[in-house]
Amino acid sequence: MLYYIFQYLDRTVDFPGAGVFQYITFRSAFAFILSLLIAAIYGKKIINFLRKQQVGETVRDLGLEGQSQKAGTPTMGGIIIIMATLIPVLLLAKLENIYIILLVITTLWMGTIGFIDDYIKVFKKDKQGLKGVFKVFGQVGLGLIVGSVLYLHPNVTIRKDTIGERVKIENINPTSLHEKSTATTIPFLKNNEFDYAEVLSFMGDGYENWAWLIFIPMVVIIITAVSNGANLTDGIDGLAAGTSAISVLTLGIFAFVSGNIIFSDYLNIMYIPNSGEMTIFIAAFVGALVGFLWYNTYPAQVFMGDTGSLTIGGIIAVIAIAIRKELMIPILCGIFLAENLSVMLQVSYFKYTKKKYGEGKRIFLMSPLHHHYQKKGFHESKIVTRFWIVGILLAIFSLVSLKLR
């Protein structure tokens, strides 16, 4: 809203300073500060409201140190993250931008699924929450929407290359070199653009028209996997919010350079018109996560619940897909991947050994992975800090891929 107001003032009455709102960098910085303040100031009021409504966490006895002390801590704190993200976005972003629209839809969609899950756990006293099949159905539904829009919408394009070489900036016509494409980026390779349509090249002429058969299912898989990974990571104070903030900040850098024709040409990466606007959303999201950490670090005054964790995972997945960096998710979101794998390995090995030996055995003391270290006697603050350090290293490694090709 503010963006359009100041744009109008700049064009009609030449209002002093109004022109600064046209810059993505200014609006991103403003969005970060505003979201951080909203989360920090109004977060306390939301926590008090949740506590008054007795929206407390029911803690299962897993034999973990300090676990019983967390019983009754307000959950559904993801509402803080969602509110602190959307308000600055609605004020400062170009709301007609298709990428912003998709991210707002993702936030509300996944937030609703998570809220229903938390509501069932808290008010229906059902520890299982929303049945897994309905969660997956919701994630698949979002994947179908995002995949279809990215595949069909005319404003979702990339810049063409000419005979394998980047065209000179001074010769670029702003629109003539843009094309619809299902191409994505393969990290660390010099000729690093891969088109999902190539998988169907065996079909002969016109195979590009069937690229949606590969692209949309990939979007569904990625959104489902990343949102579940974020959900599993949300197990101890500050872990999910902190590691997510690191990953999202890195994606923000990718979004900014991918949406800027100068930087994308210098770095020799795919130029994605209009994608730079996502930087405003990302800045607001990072600010919301940092503001939430004010209350979520040990000892947590509030838990994000599935309202927050599913939303975080969905947003990260959609941003990565939109800027064609989804194949970098296993590196950038390595913490999520490790948490997911630890559960999958634990369950699979237990079932295998039980079938073969009659008694199930475990690889980890407990899964997800962060509980394994808790069982080994590490304090959760130390676990979280070290996971953050690993997350920072993975983020730096991901950024280095811009030139390490």
Side-chain angles (χ1 to χ4, degrees):
M1 303 296 180
L2 287 178
Y3 168 77
Y4 296 102
I5 293 172
F6 280 94
Q7 187 183 48
Y8 173 80
L9 292 174
D10 184 47
R11 290 180 177 179
T12 57
V13 298
D14 196 24
F15 189 81
V20 75
F21 274 80
Q22 68 180 299
Y23 297 107
I24 288 176
T25 48
F26 174 80
R27 286 185 287 135
S28 297
F30 195 176
F32 174 82
I33 295 170
L34 183 58
S35 63
L36 178 59
L37 291 175
I38 291 172
I41 295 172
Y42 290 96
K44 186 64 175 178
K45 296 182 179 180
I46 293 175
I47 293 169
N48 290 335
F49 174 78
L50 293 173
R51 187 176 286 114
K52 186 177 180 180
Q53 298 300 316
Q54 297 183 335
V55 184
E57 181 78 2
T58 302
V59 178
R60 291 181 295 172
D61 185 12
L62 300 175
L64 299 173
E65 184 181 353
Q67 181 187 17
S68 59
Q69 300 172 4
K70 297 185 178 185
T73 302
T75 188
M76 290 189 182
I79 295 171
I80 299 171
I81 299 173
I82 293 172
M83 179 189 71
T85 299
L86 291 182
I87 291 175
V89 168
L90 294 176
L91 288 174
L92 299 168
K94 296 180 182 178
L95 300 181
E96 75 276 11
N97 183 283
I98 186 58
Y99 297 110
I100 295 295
I101 293 172
L102 277 179
L103 287 172
V104 171
I105 290 173
T106 298
T107 304
L108 295 174
W109 186 288
M110 296 304 291
T112 300
I113 295 173
F115 180 85
I116 294 171
D117 185 50
D118 287 334
Y119 182 87
I120 293 173
K121 289 177 182 177
V122 173
F123 293 102
K124 301 298 181 181
K125 306 302 180 183
D126 184 352
K127 295 180 181 180
Q128 299 302 317
L130 184 65
K131 290 185 178 180
V133 64
F134 294 115
K135 278 187 186 179
V136 172
F137 181 78
Q139 292 164 335
V140 170
L142 177 64
L144 291 174
I145 293 172
V146 173
S148 299
V149 171
L150 291 177
Y151 183 76
L152 297 171
H153 199 281
N155 290 338
V156 179
T157 59
I158 66 170
R159 194 182 81 188
K160 294 180 181 178
D161 293 339
T162 58
I163 319 177
E165 295 182 356
R166 293 284 172 180
V167 293
K168 293 182 179 179
I169 292 176
E170 59 266 25
N171 296 330
I172 289 177
N173 182 305
T175 58
S176 65
L177 294 174
H178 299 169
E179 66 175 4
K180 294 291 297 177
S181 175
T182 53
T184 190
T185 303
I186 303 176
F188 307 112
L189 296 183
K190 187 172 182 65
N191 298 315
N192 66 337
E193 291 180 10
F194 168 75
D195 196 331
Y196 290 113
E198 294 295 329
V199 177
L200 303 174
S201 58
F202 67 90
M203 297 175 64
D205 294 341
Y207 68 87
E208 298 92 345
N209 298 326
W210 298 95
W212 62 271
L213 288 173
I214 303 297
F215 178 72
I216 294 179
M218 278 295 295
V219 172
V220 171
I221 292 169
I222 292 167
I223 289 176
T224 302
V226 178
S227 58
N228 285 331
N231 194 22
L232 288 173
T233 304
D234 181 33
I236 52 180
D237 301 348
L239 180 58
T243 53
S244 298
I246 294 166
S247 299
V248 174
L249 181 60
T250 307
L251 287 173
I253 296 173
F254 282 123
F256 181 74
V257 298
S258 297
N260 186 292
I261 198 167
I262 306 296
F263 290 134
S264 62
D265 190 84
Y266 170 72
L267 294 169
N268 194 28
I269 62 174
M270 187 186 297
Y271 170 56
I272 308 171
N274 305 313
S275 65
E277 193 68 18
M278 283 190 289
T279 311
I280 287 91
F281 185 99
I282 293 169
F285 189 41
V286 173
L289 289 170
V290 173
F292 180 75
L293 276 172
W294 186 269
Y295 302 105
N296 187 237
T297 49
Y298 182 85
Q301 297 173 253
V302 65
F303 300 138
M304 67 172 65
D306 282 14
T307 306
S309 60
L310 289 177
T311 303
I312 287 172
I315 290 172
I316 290 175
V318 172
I319 294 171
I321 294 165
I323 60 175
R324 319 293 173 114
K325 297 292 185 295
E326 66 270 24
L327 298 183
M328 193 174 286
I329 286 178
I331 301 171
L332 180 58
C333 299
I335 300 297
F336 292 176
L337 178 63
E339 299 277 24
N340 254 332
L341 286 177
S342 68
V343 174
M344 293 168 62
L345 290 172
Q346 185 88 321
V347 173
S348 299
Y349 187 70
F350 184 85
K351 289 182 177 179
Y352 169 76
T353 53
K354 186 173 184 179
K355 183 177 181 181
K356 187 171 182 178
Y357 303 110
E359 181 181 358
K361 298 180 180 179
R362 293 175 173 82
I363 301 173
F364 306 99
L365 297 178
M366 183 180 289
S367 64
L369 187 60
H370 56 264
H371 287 325
H372 169 76
Y373 290 109
Q374 279 186 287
K375 281 287 190 179
K376 292 187 73 173
F378 290 91
H379 191 277
E380 61 181 274
S381 293
K382 180 172 286 188
I383 298 170
V384 170
T385 302
R386 289 180 177 177
F387 273 49
W388 286 359
I389 293 171
V390 173
I392 292 170
L393 291 175
L394 292 172
I396 293 171
F397 190 52
S398 299
L399 289 172
V400 167
S401 70
L402 287 171
K403 294 301 290 183
L404 191 64
R405 290 190 272 119

